[in-house]
Amino acid sequence: MRRILCLLALALPPLAAQSALVSVIRQPKATAAEFTVPITEFQVRKQGDFAHLHLGIGLGVRHWDDGDNALRFVADANATANSLFLGFGAVIEVPPGEGAFLGPRLRVGWAFHPSWALSLEGEHLERPFSPGLSVRRRSNLGITLTTRF
């Protein structure tokens, strides 16, 4: 186990040396924050035009307005071209004391700088194997501010 932890510790700094994404999301009943490190990314600049593709994984947290929190695991693909920002991701959300919710997420917005984007986010999370009459799905829309550094 110690060898695996040492290998992971040595593997993460090269990933963190690339540009990570930080997103802050405001939804009607919750606020979330996510930090994503890249698996791979590409960037092209030509005479003032730019295009950037980011494939990454990360962690996040959602804080509901009533005081509850949930841990989020994220895998995402984001593309920025000139002033257009598109993102697609898969989210696993784990509230304390409950089963995990999982599902897709879509972001569409405006990249007002090569490193900053403001977008509208829609996500649909479901608990696929929940018993009985418990809450089985969460769908949300939100506004997202994403920065790359």
Side-chain angles (χ1 to χ4, degrees):
M1 184 68 176
R2 285 185 180 180
R3 287 183 185 177
I4 293 172
L5 291 176
C6 290
L7 288 174
L8 285 174
L10 292 174
L12 289 178
L15 290 176
Q18 297 177 19
S19 60
L21 287 181
V22 175
S23 298
V24 177
I25 305 121
R26 180 62 189 158
Q27 297 170 340
K29 295 182 181 181
T31 302
E34 296 173 355
F35 179 78
T36 307
V37 293
I39 294 172
T40 187
E41 60 181 19
F42 303 100
Q43 184 165 343
V44 177
R45 288 183 187 259
K46 184 177 180 183
Q47 299 176 357
D49 294 338
F50 71 92
H52 185 265
L53 175 69
H54 170 95
L55 301 172
I57 57 173
L59 292 173
V61 64
R62 179 187 293 189
H63 176 73
W64 294 93
D65 291 343
D66 65 3
D68 291 338
N69 294 318
L71 183 64
R72 296 166 63 93
F73 299 96
V74 180
D76 67 352
N78 296 306
T80 306
N82 295 330
S83 62
L84 179 65
F85 177 82
L86 294 172
F88 180 77
V91 178
I92 299 174
E93 184 172 284
V94 184
E98 296 182 38
F101 289 87
L102 56 109
R105 159 177 84 196
L106 180 65
R107 292 179 178 170
V108 177
W110 171 50
F112 55 90
H113 184 274
S115 297
W116 290 85
L118 187 64
S119 59
L120 179 65
E121 173 187 272
E123 70 180 15
H124 178 74
L125 305 178
E126 288 198 15
R127 189 178 318 156
F129 304 110
S130 65
L133 299 173
S134 63
V135 176
R136 296 197 62 173
R137 60 181 57 116
R138 294 179 177 173
S139 296
N140 288 304
L141 288 176
I143 302 290
T144 304
L145 179 65
T146 303
T147 184
R148 180 171 48 104
F149 62 93

